[in-house]
Amino acid sequence: MKVHVSKNQLADVLGHVERIVPARSSNPGLSLVRIKLEEQLLVFSGSNMDIDIEAQLPADVTGNGEIAVPAGVLGQVVRALPGDDVELSIEEQEMGLSSGTYSTRLQLVDPDQAPALDFEDSYDGLLPAPALHRILSNVRYATATADYQAIFRGVKLELSDSRTRAIASDGFRLAYDQVEESSGLDAQVVVPARSVDEMIRVLGEGEAQLSANASQLSLKSSGIRMNLKLMEGTFPDYERIIPHEFPVAVSVNARELSQAVSRVSLMADRTTNNRVDLFVHEGTVQITAEGSFGRSQEAVTVQQEGSEHEIAVAFNAKYLTDALSPLGGRARISLSRDSAPTVMVDPDAPGYLAMVVPLRTT
Amino acid sequence: MKVHVSKNQLADVLGHVERIVPARSSNPGLSLVRIKLEEQLLVFSGSNMDIDIEAQLPADVTGNGEIAVPAGVLGQVVRALPGDDVELSIEEQEMGLSSGTYSTRLQLVDPDQAPALDFEDSYDGLLPAPALHRILSNVRYATATADYQAIFRGVKLELSDSRTRAIASDGFRLAYDQVEESSGLDAQVVVPARSVDEMIRVLGEGEAQLSANASQLSLKSSGIRMNLKLMEGTFPDYERIIPHEFPVAVSVNARELSQAVSRVSLMADRTTNNRVDLFVHEGTVQITAEGSFGRSQEAVTVQQEGSEHEIAVAFNAKYLTDALSPLGGRARISLSRDSAPTVMVDPDAPGYLAMVVPLRTT
């Protein structure tokens, strides 16, 4: 059977599958891409046991069949093809790829060696893909990387009848972002950070279809279906630890503040948690850092409000710049004394909130 | 003392020094940049014991002095500066850098802790910098990386009264490139590959001044002076192993052949030295490879000459594509039977020659 497809479309589809499928695995079947031939359609699928992915490519297929080849090798060959079009020829033992004067014959592997995957035929929920993309992207940074508490290595999605919220925390900081739009689902799930990255990659224009059960979140967007294994455990009740009263608040250009904090933090030592000190006073925030090589400082103008005239708070510089990163315009930063958390929001685009626990200075 | 300089110029100069000076070293003095203040000049220097480097920056200096600071920290701070201009203030214990509303104070280190470096005041030889850049760049790939024979981890420079030639080999392949121009020196030196990389980076427009003695090559180009420690040992007599008679020669578009070899080699196994087979016959070179995943092939049109009608030779694909990489237009490839080396030259731009030993196929 011969099938003609565009090289770029085939490379795109394989790119999605290749990012999931492990290049090497103790289970060799896991490194395969399964290719189903359906009427006018090629369907590629693979898995890393945490994420199953399936991507469809319209093509001049007549008849049915199923084959498997190593995903990484197929991807490499397709990306290297010299022409714009590829002729695939599926035979008993081999899959031929030819383009221009170049041709390759890949040995087929029994598709039963690849994991059997089960994708949803219909989904219960629906959200604009760009909205889901935004709330996941904006909180991803706050997930934990260390073995602090396993559940913090995921992003929580709260799907309710009034809004959709993504939340991440590592115990020292927290971020959430939300849209006032319901997916139609009523569920609370925690998706591993690595799987969130793949969701973000797949979510483009148009709509995202969603389903959830106790063990998996299913997603369909841009012609790609994914099953994402959920994390077990309970995400802590975070809302009660977000303060609502602050002695001082400032409004500041988020990018300007973030760049100043980055520069100043170059003099901070890793051994002191990359500490920078912020001193708010008379419409200015003075940022200082000191370490074994020397010290540095910068002042940024702010609009200051609140019941008190000045406040001094110390932060891990990275936590500050991360928290400011989703904010394109102004940031409203509400500061507390005595190691109580600082809260940052975008006054012009509600939805996003970041909370950072300051460093103890005594 | 206060000195004003352009941020970009300072960052450029420090970039050269930072690439040489190790970020961490068991000898902490080695990670320092020494800064000499001379009339209207800042002079930055550092070393990694194999390469000494000195870069000058014109500036509004009045008076003299010498200081040292960690090179990596200074570089990081300078790159992060917000404005276009920097004010340096040199004091007893500290060096201040300020730009816009940002300022840093770096603690000074006793410059005697940095290695004492001795650069040439005058040089004996002269070459166009782009010519030296070209011959070094074109042969760099052929140096050895493994512990095969230490001398092969360098590039030999033959400086004679009629020409200047750079040669590199790893025992399985060899490349030389030359200009029919004398530097005025009469010397044969072997420069470590890592030092060659730094020479290539520094060689820009204009002229390169050169001096050589038994243990070091000295270079001045683009306002930068370098001392490069030479390798000990004798570079093998390579000219006698370059064949001059061949049963078959082909002329081919170098880029087209190289891309075809790359594509076909995707099916070659690492365990067979990335083997591709070339079969020259009737004005075509047929490239094939086979491995555990399958096989691939491509044909490229050539102009064929020679006493024989056809020839089959096997190569490590990487050696072939490396050898072709300096050739922008046509390659003339002279092929031998029985594992005798293949020789490649650019028929339109003499100077470059690459020799590759084929893989044994029996």
Side-chain angles (χ1 to χ4, degrees):
Chain A
M1 186 192 308
K2 288 196 194 303
V3 180
H4 296 86
V5 290
S6 132
K7 174 199 161 178
N8 288 340
Q9 285 179 4
L10 180 57
D12 278 354
V13 160
L14 284 171
H16 285 294
V17 177
E18 268 186 278
R19 274 205 317 278
I20 308 297
V21 169
R24 279 181 199 81
S25 167
S26 54
N27 169 2
L30 217 48
S31 63
L32 297 173
V33 54
R34 198 190 270 256
I35 310 174
K36 263 192 213 151
L37 296 96
E38 300 179 5
E39 208 61 42
Q40 301 300 311
L41 205 60
L42 291 171
V43 184
F44 299 82
S45 62
S47 176
N48 64 7
M49 304 311 277
D50 282 327
I51 309 171
D52 305 335
I53 188 165
E54 183 206 79
Q56 302 190 340
L57 182 63
D60 59 342
V61 182
T62 52
N64 287 278
E66 188 165 21
I67 60 170
V69 290
V73 174
L74 179 59
Q76 273 196 318
V77 167
V78 169
R79 282 189 295 277
L81 293 174
D84 294 333
D85 297 298
V86 194
E87 183 183 275
L88 308 177
S89 50
I90 318 290
E91 288 156 29
E92 194 81 5
Q93 305 282 338
E94 290 182 329
M95 173 185 188
L97 290 99
S98 61
S99 178
T101 56
Y102 173 82
S103 69
T104 282
R105 306 195 72 73
L106 283 175
Q107 282 177 32
L108 298 183
V109 183
D110 178 359
D112 290 342
Q113 289 191 24
L117 305 177
D118 186 21
F119 295 94
E120 302 287 322
D121 288 325
S122 68
Y123 292 77
D124 306 325
L126 197 68
L127 268 181
L132 188 54
H133 182 280
R134 187 199 87 194
I135 65 173
L136 291 172
S137 307
N138 282 352
V139 306
R140 169 64 177 87
Y141 72 83
T143 56
T145 48
D147 280 284
Y148 175 65
Q149 191 173 335
I151 197 76
F152 283 155
R153 275 175 277 157
V155 171
K156 186 184 185 196
L157 265 178
E158 293 177 355
L159 305 156
S160 77
D161 57 7
S162 64
R163 65 161 197 237
T164 305
R165 180 187 278 188
I167 308 104
S169 176
D170 64 3
F172 301 101
R173 53 176 169 176
L174 178 143
Y176 69 67
D177 196 8
Q178 64 191 32
V179 287
E180 304 300 326
E181 200 158 340
S182 172
S183 62
L185 298 181
D186 183 7
Q188 309 224 341
V189 299
V190 182
V191 182
R194 159 117 167 73
S195 301
V196 169
D197 292 339
E198 296 308 325
M199 289 177 73
I200 291 171
R201 284 214 174 89
V202 161
L203 289 164
E205 295 303 306
E207 282 176 338
Q209 292 178 266
L210 294 167
S211 280
N213 63 33
S215 65
Q216 103 182 3
L217 178 71
S218 300
L219 171 76
K220 181 172 181 180
S221 180
S222 313
I224 293 176
R225 295 196 286 183
M226 291 172 102
N227 297 326
L228 307 143
K229 202 168 160 186
L230 299 177
M231 297 186 75
E232 290 176 11
T234 307
F235 204 86
D237 174 14
Y238 60 91
E239 284 195 274
R240 64 177 177 77
I241 59 165
I242 302 174
H244 296 281
E245 304 278 325
F246 302 91
V248 177
V250 299
S251 177
V252 60
N253 181 301
R255 203 176 147 78
E256 202 181 308
L257 178 62
S258 176
Q259 290 178 338
V261 167
S262 288
R263 280 192 286 272
V264 170
S265 74
L266 291 174
M267 286 296 111
D269 284 343
R270 297 253 165 127
T271 51
T272 59
N273 283 315
N274 209 14
R275 170 178 169 169
V276 291
D277 284 86
L278 269 60
F279 178 58
V280 177
H281 178 65
E282 293 183 349
T284 298
V285 54
Q286 185 79 27
I287 310 153
T288 53
E290 190 164 2
S292 49
F293 295 119
R295 57 190 196 278
S296 55
Q297 62 176 44
E298 185 159 356
V300 175
T301 304
V302 300
Q303 279 178 283
Q304 183 180 337
E305 324 154 37
S307 57
E308 299 192 18
H309 290 303
E310 57 178 52
I311 193 166
V313 193
F315 292 100
N316 179 325
K318 179 78 165 51
Y319 282 14
L320 263 190
T321 54
D322 280 349
L324 292 167
S325 63
L327 299 176
R330 294 191 77 68
R332 185 182 158 81
I333 308 179
S334 302
L335 297 141
S336 301
R337 292 188 190 285
D338 304 323
S339 304
T342 285
V343 168
M344 277 165 258
V345 297
D346 182 342
D348 307 317
Y352 176 73
L353 178 144
M355 189 183 83
V356 177
V357 177
L359 295 174
R360 287 188 185 275
T361 55
T362 50
Chain B
M1 186 192 309
K2 288 195 193 304
V3 181
H4 296 87
V5 291
S6 130
K7 174 199 161 177
N8 288 341
Q9 286 179 5
L10 181 57
D12 279 356
V13 160
L14 284 172
H16 286 294
V17 177
E18 269 187 277
R19 276 205 315 280
I20 308 297
V21 168
R24 279 182 199 79
S25 168
S26 53
N27 169 3
L30 259 194
S31 62
L32 298 174
V33 54
R34 199 191 272 256
I35 310 174
K36 263 192 213 150
L37 297 98
E38 299 179 4
E39 207 63 41
Q40 301 300 312
L41 206 60
L42 291 171
V43 184
F44 299 81
S45 63
S47 176
N48 65 8
M49 305 309 278
D50 282 328
I51 309 172
D52 306 335
I53 187 163
E54 184 206 78
Q56 302 190 339
L57 181 64
D60 58 343
V61 182
T62 53
N64 286 277
E66 189 166 20
I67 60 170
V69 289
V73 174
L74 178 60
Q76 273 196 318
V77 168
V78 168
R79 283 190 295 277
L81 292 175
D84 295 333
D85 297 297
V86 194
E87 183 183 274
L88 308 176
S89 51
I90 318 291
E91 288 155 29
E92 194 81 4
Q93 305 282 339
E94 291 182 328
M95 174 186 188
L97 291 98
S98 60
S99 178
T101 56
Y102 173 81
S103 70
T104 281
R105 307 195 71 72
L106 284 174
Q107 282 176 32
L108 298 183
V109 183
D110 178 1
D112 289 343
Q113 290 191 22
L117 306 175
D118 187 21
F119 295 93
E120 303 286 322
D121 288 324
S122 68
Y123 292 78
D124 305 326
L126 197 68
L127 268 180
L132 188 54
H133 183 280
R134 187 199 86 192
I135 64 172
L136 292 172
S137 308
N138 281 352
V139 305
R140 169 64 177 87
Y141 72 82
T143 55
T145 47
D147 281 282
Y148 177 63
Q149 192 174 335
I151 197 76
F152 283 155
R153 277 176 275 158
V155 171
K156 186 184 186 198
L157 264 177
E158 292 178 355
L159 305 155
S160 77
D161 58 6
S162 65
R163 65 160 197 239
T164 305
R165 179 187 278 188
I167 309 104
S169 176
D170 64 3
F172 301 100
R173 53 177 168 176
L174 176 142
Y176 69 67
D177 195 8
Q178 64 191 30
V179 288
E180 303 300 324
E181 199 157 341
S182 173
S183 61
L185 299 181
D186 184 7
Q188 309 222 342
V189 299
V190 182
V191 182
R194 159 115 165 78
S195 302
V196 169
D197 292 339
E198 295 307 326
M199 289 177 73
I200 290 170
R201 284 216 174 89
V202 161
L203 289 163
E205 295 304 306
E207 284 178 335
Q209 292 178 266
L210 294 167
S211 279
N213 62 34
S215 64
Q216 104 181 3
L217 178 70
S218 301
L219 170 76
K220 181 174 179 180
S221 180
S222 313
I224 293 176
R225 295 196 286 182
M226 290 172 101
N227 297 326
L228 306 143
K229 202 169 161 184
L230 298 177
M231 297 186 76
E232 290 176 10
T234 307
F235 203 88
D237 175 15
Y238 60 92
E239 285 195 274
R240 64 177 178 77
I241 58 165
I242 302 175
H244 296 281
E245 304 278 326
F246 303 91
V248 177
V250 299
S251 177
V252 59
N253 181 301
R255 202 177 147 77
E256 203 182 307
L257 178 62
S258 176
Q259 290 178 340
V261 168
S262 288
R263 279 193 286 271
V264 170
S265 74
L266 290 174
M267 285 298 111
D269 284 342
R270 296 251 164 128
T271 51
T272 59
N273 283 315
N274 208 14
R275 171 177 169 167
V276 291
D277 283 87
L278 268 61
F279 178 59
V280 178
H281 178 66
E282 292 184 348
T284 298
V285 55
Q286 185 79 28
I287 311 153
T288 53
E290 190 164 0
S292 49
F293 295 119
R295 57 192 195 278
S296 55
Q297 61 176 42
E298 185 160 357
V300 174
T301 305
V302 300
Q303 280 177 283
Q304 184 180 338
E305 323 154 38
S307 58
E308 300 191 19
H309 291 301
E310 57 179 50
I311 193 165
V313 193
F315 293 101
N316 179 325
K318 180 75 167 52
Y319 283 14
L320 262 191
T321 54
D322 280 349
L324 292 167
S325 62
L327 300 175
R330 292 191 77 72
R332 186 182 158 82
I333 308 180
S334 302
L335 296 140
S336 299
R337 292 189 190 285
D338 303 324
S339 303
T342 285
V343 168
M344 277 164 257
V345 297
D346 182 344
D348 307 316
Y352 176 73
L353 178 144
M355 189 183 85
V356 177
V357 177
L359 294 174
R360 288 185 184 276
T361 56
T362 50

